[in-house]
């Protein structure tokens, strides 16, 4: 009997971003693993077991799900956003690489989801309309110096930058430091977007400038997009401005 | 009477990546604009008009859809993948910025979709599990020198790189040049993934190395992911290897 493991992206927020493929994968799983609030978003299915774990216990969750699948079960792991972007898919691969040979025989499937930067960008207009990059500011997995080096490289070469995991309780100073670093390369007026809890009722999207950005509160549910020197605003009466990065580069970047 | 324009992401391929929000937006549109093959993917709805245009006529399509919405209609533009990533959302914003004041009064909504790099990454494992960037190799909107500068910046700082629009009829040499440029920074064995027509029946995913990558055929329906020095493979008997980039950085990048 051959087991399988599907790593299923739910998208951010409620169920509006759920894809057909994700719905089918949730339905097909005999056992679902994941962070409790994500599990709660999967519709109940008779006979399906649920295994909730804490948000930070990725490795333990991956190991438990792989062990379960290796017994021949069809197992799912739910992931907010896209499982491939700073989420469970890499964690599962890491455990397979370090685990028993039998885990390599499993049918492993990643079901993509709408990742937070796409949802936040959609709310604001088209800030990711030109070249962009995604950086996790969580420095428990890499040195802060490397994060600074990447911020320099990205802003210096004209990429729009999406910042995941912008702050944590242990390191509340990180995001302000990142803005200060980006400001070495970018004008004060560069548009910055804060998207929090996008797709949920308490959703909020704030558009500000790089000079003002450190005044805006952010937490681990926030995704921040910092424009490039090309990113611009369209003011609209009675509506939030549209933020977009044109497809064509006009300015010459030295 | 107040018009609206929804820019709707269908995801790549068939309908497996369609989100609930996109399905509702397709249903709610009185008129749908878009590239013919994308329009064909939207389920028929009584009374809905369809306006097909060529793939390269983004500006004309955006203008036509905005004019139609300004007459008070609920209009949709369909986009493959995510409309915010090298696609229609930026094009619509550009036309609003240059267009009549009445276009700024429209209700503009972007409905995000699964963009190609997420779908290709999911097929391969988790190559985007760490910091990454997305670059369009189409140089009719920016100089080739700027593309080279961005490839240097991205690979030099340890980003995984997703390449959109990797080749065109006019510039078949671009992709090989990009690989050569990335090879200045990356080992020969760096994993490279070619994903073509992902989500469709003719889907193909090829995993190779940077040294071998120029031998693989690519076209405008191909999305290429070039790993970082951290990206690795898990060999599996009778299955394609899993490609992933660990969440934690182990090597020190100078």
């Amino acid at each position: 009997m051959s087991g399988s493991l599907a790593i299923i992206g739910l998208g951010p927020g409620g169920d509006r971003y759920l894809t057909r493929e994700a719905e089918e994968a949730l339905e097909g799983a005999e056992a679902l693993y994941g962070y409790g609030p994500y599990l709660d978003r999967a519709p109940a299915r008779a006979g399906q077991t649920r295994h909730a774990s804490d948000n930070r216990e990725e490795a333990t969750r991956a190991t438990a799900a792989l062990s379960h699948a290796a017994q021949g079960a069809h197992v799912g792991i739910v992931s907010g956003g896209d499982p491939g972007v700073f989420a469970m898919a890499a964690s599962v691969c890491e455990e397979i690489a370090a685990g028993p040979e039998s885990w390599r025989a499993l049918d492993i499937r990643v079901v993509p989801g709408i990742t937070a930067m796409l949802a936040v960008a959609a709310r604001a207009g088209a800030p990711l309309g030109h070249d962009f990059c995604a950086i996790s500011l969580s420095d428990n997995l890499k040195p802060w110096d490397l994060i600074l080096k990447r911020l320099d490289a990205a802003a210096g070469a004209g990429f729009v930058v999406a910042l995941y995991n912008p702050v944590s309780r242990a390191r509340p100073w990180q995001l302000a430091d990142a803005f200060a670093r980006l400001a070495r390369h970018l004008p004060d007026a560069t548009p910055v977007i804060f998207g929090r809890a996008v797709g949920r009722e308490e959703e909020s999207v704030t558009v500000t400038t790089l000079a003002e950005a450190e005044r805006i509160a952010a937490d681990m549910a926030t995704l921040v997009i910092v424009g490039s020197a090309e990113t611009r605003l369209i003011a609209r009466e009675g509506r939030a401005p549209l933020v977009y990065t044109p497809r064509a580069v006009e300015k010459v970047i030295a």
Side-chain angles (χ1 to χ4, degrees), chain A:
Chain A
M1 190 165 63
S2 176
S4 70
L5 177 60
I7 311 157
I8 306 164
L10 304 178
D15 58 11
R16 71 162 69 178
Y17 298 125
L18 212 57
T19 65
R20 289 187 185 175
E21 186 184 29
E23 288 192 60
E24 286 168 17
L26 291 172
E27 249 177 58
E30 297 167 282
L32 278 185
Y33 287 74
Y35 178 46
Y38 295 153
L39 285 177
D40 293 343
R41 288 167 52 191
R45 189 208 129 178
Q48 184 182 67
T49 60
R50 307 264 171 139
H51 309 263
S53 47
D54 187 80
N55 206 5
R56 282 157 300 183
E57 293 176 355
E58 287 99 347
T60 316
R61 180 187 308 139
T63 304
L66 284 161
S67 302
H68 197 156
Q71 292 163 29
H74 297 297
V75 175
I77 294 182
V78 295
S79 182
D82 179 83
V85 175
F86 309 123
M88 284 306 300
S91 189
V92 167
C93 288
E94 289 167 24
E95 297 309 319
I96 294 172
E101 189 62 31
S102 62
W103 289 358
R104 299 182 184 219
L106 292 170
D107 179 19
I108 305 287
R109 190 159 64 102
V110 179
V111 178
I114 303 290
T115 183
M117 69 179 163
L118 300 186
V120 172
R123 282 287 186 277
L128 305 179
H130 195 73
D131 300 338
F132 63 92
C133 62
I135 301 177
S136 169
L137 287 191
S138 174
D139 70 348
N140 57 352
L141 296 170
K142 64 191 166 200
W144 182 248
D145 278 354
L146 180 57
I147 294 174
L148 292 178
K149 179 187 163 85
R150 288 183 181 164
L151 293 170
D152 283 338
F159 288 97
V160 172
V161 179
L163 300 173
Y164 281 76
N165 308 314
V167 288
S168 65
R169 258 175 250 174
R171 304 186 196 272
W173 48 268
Q174 283 188 161
L175 184 58
D177 270 26
F179 288 141
R181 193 70 174 209
L182 292 168
R184 293 186 184 184
H185 308 273
L186 294 167
D188 281 355
T190 303
V192 177
I193 302 155
F194 288 70
R196 192 178 177 284
V198 164
R200 299 212 296 267
E201 278 189 27
E202 66 271 33
E203 165 181 318
S204 73
V205 176
T206 305
V207 177
T208 183
T209 63
L210 187 51
E212 300 289 327
E214 65 170 302
R215 302 185 191 186
I216 310 290
D219 62 17
M220 284 305 265
T222 307
L223 184 287
V224 180
I225 297 175
V226 180
S228 71
E230 302 276 333
T231 305
R232 54 198 76 176
L233 293 186
I234 302 173
R236 299 187 299 169
E237 208 174 326
R239 296 186 187 277
L242 287 171
V243 187
Y244 72 107
T245 310
R247 296 165 305 152
V249 170
E250 285 177 16
K251 289 175 199 155
V252 174
I253 296 178

